[in-house]
Amino acid sequence: MLAKAMRDTLLKVKGLKKFFPVRRGILSEGKGYVYAVDGVSFDIKRGETLGLVGESGCGKTTTGKTILRLIEPTDGSIEFDGIDICRLKGDGLRRLRSRMQIIFQDPYSSLNPRMRIGSIVGEPLDIHKVAKGSDKEERVVSILKRVGLKREDINRYPYQLSGGERQRIGIARAIILSPDLVVGDEPVSALDASIQAQVINLLEELQEEFHLSYLIISHDLSLIEYMSDRVAVMYLGKFVEIGDSKNLYISPLHPYTEALLSAIPLLDPTIKREKIILRGEPPSPMNPPSGCYFHSRCSYRFDDCKMIEPVLKEVNRGHFVACHLRG
Ligand code: SF4
């Protein structure tokens, strides 16, 4: 049973930190840090979608890029399919990269405007020496068709495509090596609503077909609810709540999650829900507050909250929260 549980976990992240050094000011000698990711732990199972939500600047994108080692972590461990990827270098890291891919938010800026679509989508096959010549072309055409594009598109340039088509190119490039894990960083937020639905459906079909695990990063709570099996809520570099998507959306346990969910428009106009307005802006990640990082904006705060940092605890099965109100 345990062996099966271990096999089912694809990614295991423990105590991940990423601090960016910054100078404090032109006249100041001292160096400070932006505490972008400040000790997060989570895992992703095979075939699972973990959604990561939070306000902009909370560390979501840095978390996604760090687990792919596009950014080097400051501390913590990242285990992918049983391999400690923080120790990998050279060929070992390159091989692993073929199994972990990313889809970026802005398809236009993530595609080289001087390259034809065939070269963009086929580039991973070159880098990882997987196919060349006619074999490579066939694989590119096949994946283009799978994402809803045509053979002729290999000769076009990104500027000749619509936003939706460009995002399909980004997806084709990400899955051409049949990865195990795909990080989608705001994968549909740059697209029109009607195109968003098509791209979401495509991502879901591909997950089924290629047995993909997803980490979907978004500020869009409705998208995260729709796509995710489990959801992690991030605030100022830390996870404040993580749990099964359904439970978390029905019964949020953290005041920050509760406030975020209260802002989602309800489809049924007869149902009234009080919108919780968060006071002020999140504190600077260069100078996080003492105790609970959320205390300056929390309407439930009490004395301990300013002094003692709450740790993530399992309150219900599989549902973790970092708040003194929850024991
Ligand atoms: Fe609010 Fe205190 Fe819970 Fe932080 S620990 S979320 S300040 S009640």
Side-chain angles (χ1 to χ4, degrees):
M1 189 71 185
L2 182 62
K4 183 172 186 307
M6 285 166 70
R7 239 193 355 260
D8 284 343
T9 298
L10 178 66
L11 181 81
K12 200 167 187 53
V13 176
K14 256 190 174 169
L16 185 70
K17 294 184 181 176
K18 179 63 198 176
F19 303 158
F20 294 102
V22 281
R23 282 180 68 94
R24 287 205 180 274
I26 296 170
L27 300 176
S28 162
E29 286 292 302
K31 225 178 167 191
Y33 289 92
V34 172
Y35 299 94
V37 179
D38 197 0
V40 303
S41 302
F42 62 98
D43 55 23
I44 301 181
K45 308 256 183 295
R46 287 181 198 281
E48 182 185 41
T49 299
L50 177 69
L52 184 50
V53 280
E55 289 163 294
S56 93
C58 70
K60 307 184 296 289
T61 295
T62 306
T63 301
K65 287 185 174 172
T66 310
I67 62 166
L68 300 181
R69 280 200 56 198
L70 298 175
I71 297 175
E72 288 302 315
T74 304
D75 199 5
S77 68
I78 307 164
E79 221 176 78
F80 178 82
D81 205 8
I83 304 163
D84 178 358
I85 71 163
C86 295
R87 291 171 190 268
L88 290 180
K89 291 184 188 144
D91 270 359
L93 183 57
R94 199 163 48 83
R95 272 198 300 277
L96 186 98
R97 287 233 165 94
S98 69
R99 300 180 60 194
M100 305 168 85
Q101 296 289 319
I102 185 164
I103 300 166
F104 292 101
Q105 171 179 10
D106 180 354
Y108 197 56
S109 65
S110 65
L111 304 176
N112 185 336
R114 291 190 204 89
M115 285 171 75
R116 292 180 194 272
I117 299 310
S119 302
I120 292 173
V121 175
E123 196 177 34
L125 299 174
D126 294 332
I127 293 170
H128 295 278
K129 300 186 177 63
V130 173
K132 53 186 181 181
S134 58
D135 181 24
K136 176 181 151 189
E137 184 171 325
E138 276 321 300
R139 287 183 69 157
V140 169
V141 169
S142 157
I143 207 79
L144 284 180
K145 286 184 179 167
R146 181 58 198 89
V147 300
L149 297 167
K150 299 188 281 296
R151 174 180 277 274
E152 308 81 89
D153 290 325
I154 57 172
N155 292 318
R156 298 169 79 194
Y157 287 95
Y159 77 87
Q160 295 174 304
L161 304 176
S162 68
E165 287 172 326
R166 285 196 288 261
Q167 194 55 301
R168 287 172 194 269
I169 298 298
I171 294 170
R173 189 186 151 96
I175 62 164
I176 196 163
L177 293 171
S178 300
D180 298 288
L181 175 71
V182 174
V183 173
D185 186 5
E186 301 277 6
V188 298
S189 59
L191 306 174
D192 293 343
S194 61
I195 309 295
Q196 280 188 2
Q198 293 172 15
V199 173
I200 291 166
N201 288 341
L202 174 64
L203 288 171
E204 289 192 328
E205 288 165 19
L206 294 172
Q207 179 170 41
E208 190 78 18
E209 203 172 315
F210 292 82
H211 310 293
L212 298 169
S213 301
Y214 285 144
L215 174 64
I216 301 292
I217 297 168
S218 181
H219 65 281
D220 181 340
L221 285 122
S222 301
L223 170 77
I224 290 291
E225 180 182 18
Y226 180 76
M227 288 196 75
S228 309
D229 299 301
R230 284 185 305 135
V231 174
V233 182
M234 199 165 185
Y235 185 79
L236 215 62
K238 291 181 184 290
F239 282 7
V240 295
E241 184 163 0
I242 181 165
D244 173 82
S245 169
K246 216 176 187 176
N247 291 341
L248 188 139
Y249 275 73
I250 292 172
S251 315
L253 297 175
H254 195 280
Y256 178 58
T257 314
E258 194 183 24
L260 290 180
L261 296 183
S262 78
I264 301 179
L266 291 170
L267 292 176
D268 183 347
T270 61
I271 301 176
K272 296 269 175 269
R273 180 168 62 192
E274 192 193 342
K275 186 172 174 185
I276 302 167
I277 310 285
L278 286 175
R279 292 182 290 190
E281 295 295 314
S284 163
M286 275 185 72
N287 190 20
S290 60
C292 172
Y293 281 11
F294 187 60
H295 81 248
S296 58
R297 304 172 81 193
C298 181
S299 50
Y300 301 97
R301 70 174 174 225
F302 52 99
D303 287 349
D304 278 0
C305 302
K306 289 186 193 168
M307 313 293 294
I308 304 167
E309 185 182 338
V311 292
L312 213 53
K313 278 189 204 143
E314 190 170 18
V315 172
N316 299 318
R317 194 156 180 264
H319 195 162
F320 296 78
V321 65
C323 173
H324 294 311
L325 288 175
R326 308 291 175 180

